[in-house]
Amino acid sequence: MSWRASLPFGSALARLAHQRAERELARRIDGAFRIDPDAIARVRAQVLIAGSALAPVTVASVRGTGARARRSMPVVVAFAMVIIVGLVATGVRPGEPSPASSLAAGGLGSPVAATAASITAYLDRSAADLQSVTTTARSGDPSALAAVLMRYGTDLAALEAELHMPGADLVTAGILLRSQAFELSTMASVIPAANENLFRQLTSDLDRLIASLANGKPPASPPGNGKPADAGNGKPTASPPGNGKPTASPPGNGNAAANGHAKAH
Amino acid sequence: MFRVVDAVHEAVVDRIVARARAGDSAALAEIYDLYAGRVYRFVLQRLRRSSDAEDLLQRIFLKMIEALPRYEARGMPFKAWLFRIARNAVIDYERTRHDHASLDDVFDLSDAQLGPAELAESAAEMDAVRAALDLLTPDQRDVIVYRFFAGLSPREIGLLMDKREGTIRALQFRAMQTLRSSLALRIELAGAEGAGA
């Protein structure tokens, strides 16, 4: 250690060096202990199901009853419900082929169940996209961030198309999308200027989708022209899948988007 | 990610928590989205295997949901309260789990986003960070983990560890001095001067 490193704590230079060391440590921890967005998304779906099971039935009118009901249901029961609901809804365990794969194989049969599984897959995927947005924004690479943002936009458009399907759970989708909108809003401060237009467009698209779900009706068909997104200006497509973009398919399935499009129209 | 979450003011979080306590599922999702990454990394640091970390992440948030009606915003920030649950869950998990990971499967190499070389590099980096943390005293180590893995502020760490904020800062400073040499962090003052110029 050099003589400079033995400067008193109050020294501005020592403080600066200390701050640099902290940043470096944080950077190395970020690199070594990577957050798995897929794991985060998988657990998210299960936690939200458990949360719904534990929540009061009618919060505004019978809060006391709801609180009692919530206390009366132990977490073990909720956990069991998570597993059961997850198995019924997806037909697969976390880590196994995605629900969309089951759809492609015709494994679930019912159009309603198939839609629910697709929507879950798209919601999970868009949530994972958001995690990537945060990570990529920190890397300071506008082109990489634009790619991630566009992927998110594509997934949103695919999700929007799925929400037109009969039996789609619009309420759950609305709740989860509002959560994503909140997360997106917290990212505004870290979005580079080069990506601001794209970011604003995405935020606007998401708000529009949420607003259209607010009345419990499927979203109105966006004024798409059937063309892929304009990569030149970074604007994401607002049209539903079926526009030839392979990335519109749900996780683990290369052709389910086309299937979804065929079903939707 | 930490910067993004830090931007969310404590009062805002308290309002979200209040909505979650009232049964608002969207608020619950917001809480999860705010803290899941930090909790996952905090757990991963202790359990090493990503499959275990995912399992425990789920348990922690289920425990949080169960305990939410008993949470009082006064006294302890929600984030510190959540990490108290996480810490206790990790301790319980380690106590009940006897099939310790062997050296061969310490790192779950199932991350499809990384190539073999990157995985090896990441594993080596994990090893280096863990080895460096082992050089610290238990208190120093806890402070570093809460600060850099969980993203807690010195005040929040103080509440968790039942120590004054100044004590936490001092522990962190001494820990960083140890980590500087063991991790060969780029903190040479000449470099600092250059950056400041």
Side-chain angles (χ1 to χ4, degrees):
Chain A
M1 183 179 294
S2 70
W3 64 271
R4 288 177 172 182
S6 63
L7 285 172
F9 177 52
S11 158
L13 280 177
R15 270 206 304 275
L16 191 58
H18 188 72
Q19 288 166 358
R20 283 174 60 86
E22 289 185 348
R23 283 198 296 271
E24 177 70 6
L25 176 61
R27 188 191 65 77
R28 290 185 66 169
I29 287 172
D30 280 356
F33 297 84
R34 294 171 189 270
I35 295 172
D36 180 356
D38 292 337
I40 300 287
R42 279 194 297 270
V43 174
R44 185 182 198 277
Q46 293 162 344
V47 165
L48 292 183
I49 292 170
S52 302
L54 291 167
V57 176
T58 308
V59 176
S61 57
V62 286
R63 183 165 299 177
T65 306
R68 281 195 297 276
R70 180 163 42 187
R71 278 195 297 272
S72 68
M73 179 179 289
V75 74
V76 175
V77 175
F79 187 65
M81 287 183 66
V82 167
I83 295 172
I84 293 166
V85 172
L87 288 174
V88 169
T90 66
V92 295
R93 294 173 57 236
E96 288 184 354
S98 68
S101 301
S102 302
L103 287 177
L108 294 177
S110 160
V112 174
T115 302
S118 298
I119 289 172
T120 301
Y122 280 122
L123 284 168
D124 286 352
R125 182 161 161 165
S126 56
D129 289 342
L130 277 184
Q131 294 277 344
S132 301
V133 168
T134 309
T135 309
T136 312
R138 293 184 66 198
S139 74
D141 181 351
S143 58
L145 182 57
V148 176
L149 287 171
M150 289 181 70
R151 191 173 71 210
Y152 180 64
T154 304
D155 286 338
L156 274 187
L159 173 64
E160 187 169 355
E162 285 293 317
L163 292 174
H164 284 285
M165 295 284 287
D169 184 355
L170 304 179
V171 175
T172 302
I175 290 170
L176 295 177
L177 286 174
R178 276 199 296 277
S179 167
Q180 291 189 14
F182 174 81
E183 187 171 348
L184 205 59
S185 70
T186 67
M187 296 175 186
S189 61
V190 296
I191 299 297
N195 300 111
E196 274 183 2
N197 285 341
L198 178 55
F199 183 78
R200 271 200 295 271
Q201 177 66 41
L202 272 178
T203 306
S204 165
D205 286 349
L206 183 55
D207 288 345
R208 178 182 53 77
L209 180 54
I210 291 169
S212 66
L213 291 172
N215 55 10
K217 294 178 182 175
S221 294
N225 56 9
K227 293 178 182 176
D230 181 359
N233 62 11
K235 188 176 177 182
T237 177
S239 60
N243 57 8
K245 288 175 74 72
T247 52
S249 59
N253 182 10
N255 61 5
N259 296 342
H261 181 61
K263 285 183 287 186
H265 300 279
Chain B
M1 181 174 293
F2 286 173
R3 274 186 302 171
V4 174
V5 177
D6 284 342
V8 180
H9 194 269
E10 206 171 278
V12 175
V13 173
D14 281 343
R15 281 199 290 274
I16 297 172
V17 171
R19 282 170 42 217
R21 290 182 61 177
D24 185 340
S25 299
L28 186 61
E30 290 169 14
I31 291 172
Y32 181 85
D33 293 338
L34 279 173
Y35 298 118
R38 292 180 181 205
V39 173
Y40 179 86
R41 182 168 280 160
F42 174 78
V43 169
L44 183 63
Q45 179 271 142
R46 293 285 293 266
L47 299 185
R48 296 173 177 246
R49 281 192 291 205
S50 58
S51 54
D52 288 345
E54 181 176 344
D55 185 20
L56 197 52
L57 177 69
Q58 180 170 325
R59 293 187 193 196
I60 288 167
F61 273 93
L62 290 176
K63 284 186 178 183
M64 182 208 75
I65 292 170
E66 190 186 35
L68 209 50
R70 299 190 295 275
Y71 168 71
E72 291 289 339
R74 294 185 298 275
M76 179 173 282
F78 177 78
K79 193 166 39 167
W81 179 80
L82 174 61
F83 274 95
R84 174 169 284 175
I85 292 176
R87 180 191 62 186
N88 293 339
V90 168
I91 291 170
D92 287 347
Y93 196 85
E94 289 176 329
R95 188 183 299 143
T96 55
R97 185 181 162 85
H98 301 297
D99 55 331
H100 296 296
S102 72
L103 286 178
D104 290 335
D105 64 0
V106 155
F107 302 108
D108 184 349
L109 304 181
S110 61
D111 192 338
Q113 296 175 340
L114 300 179
E118 288 170 305
L119 280 170
E121 187 181 346
S122 178
E125 186 73 345
M126 266 192 186
D127 255 349
V129 173
R130 285 201 177 100
L133 291 176
D134 285 343
L135 298 174
L136 305 177
T137 66
D139 276 354
Q140 288 175 355
R141 179 189 162 92
D142 283 349
V143 169
I144 291 295
V145 168
Y146 284 132
R147 187 85 179 97
F148 291 95
F149 287 83
L152 299 184
S153 69
R155 173 175 160 263
E156 290 165 336
I157 298 171
L159 289 167
L160 257 179
M161 295 178 64
D162 201 20
K163 294 182 188 298
R164 290 181 169 194
E165 186 176 338
T167 307
I168 299 299
R169 291 187 186 279
L171 282 167
Q172 181 182 335
F173 183 78
R174 284 195 290 274
M176 286 304 300
Q177 284 182 317
T178 304
L179 293 175
R180 279 179 180 185
S181 53
S182 55
L183 279 175
L185 299 177
R186 291 196 293 268
I187 46 79
E188 285 304 319
L189 289 178
E193 286 169 331

